[in-house]
């Protein structure tokens, strides 16, 4: 886990309210990918930047797990 964890609902609500569907969400401190996951769930494009390779791998795994589940139901 990341030391600065916050509830999934926070980025989800902000993205849903303030980011147009055709826009791109930039997360320059991606951490474990909570914002990226919210973007995936809301069908938004996103760019994540993270200095720690460890957290990049965690974020990648979270996003891949979510997107692979979507493929099962399409």
């Amino acid at each position: 886990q990341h030391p600065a964890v916050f509830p999934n609902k926070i980025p989800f609500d902000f993205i849903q309210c303030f980011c147009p569907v055709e826009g791109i969400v930039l997360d320059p401190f991606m951490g474990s990918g909570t914002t990226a996951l919210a973007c995936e769930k809301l069908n938004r494009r996103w760019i994540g930047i993270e200095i720690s390779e460890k957290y990049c791998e965690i974020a990648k795994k979270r996003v891949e797990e979510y997107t692979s589940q979507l493929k099962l139901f399409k």
Side-chain angles (χ1 to χ4, degrees):
Q1 288 290 338
H2 195 273
V5 177
F6 50 86
N8 293 340
K9 187 167 174 39
I10 292 173
F12 190 90
D13 288 347
F14 273 94
I15 292 165
Q16 192 171 32
C17 291
F18 301 111
C19 300
V21 174
E22 65 278 354
I24 299 174
V25 175
L26 172 64
D27 184 359
F29 308 100
M30 188 169 64
S32 61
T34 303
T35 300
L37 202 55
C39 288
E40 289 291 331
K41 291 178 179 180
L42 292 168
N43 198 28
R44 302 299 202 277
R45 295 182 302 159
W46 58 274
I47 297 170
I49 302 167
E50 175 56 52
I51 196 169
S52 168
E53 189 174 336
K54 173 185 171 185
Y55 293 124
C56 284
E57 289 301 319
I58 291 170
K60 178 182 174 186
K61 182 178 177 186
R62 288 180 73 192
V63 170
E64 285 177 347
E65 285 176 358
Y66 176 76
T67 57
S68 68
Q69 289 176 359
L70 291 178
K71 291 176 187 174
L72 293 174
F73 297 105
K74 286 185 178 184

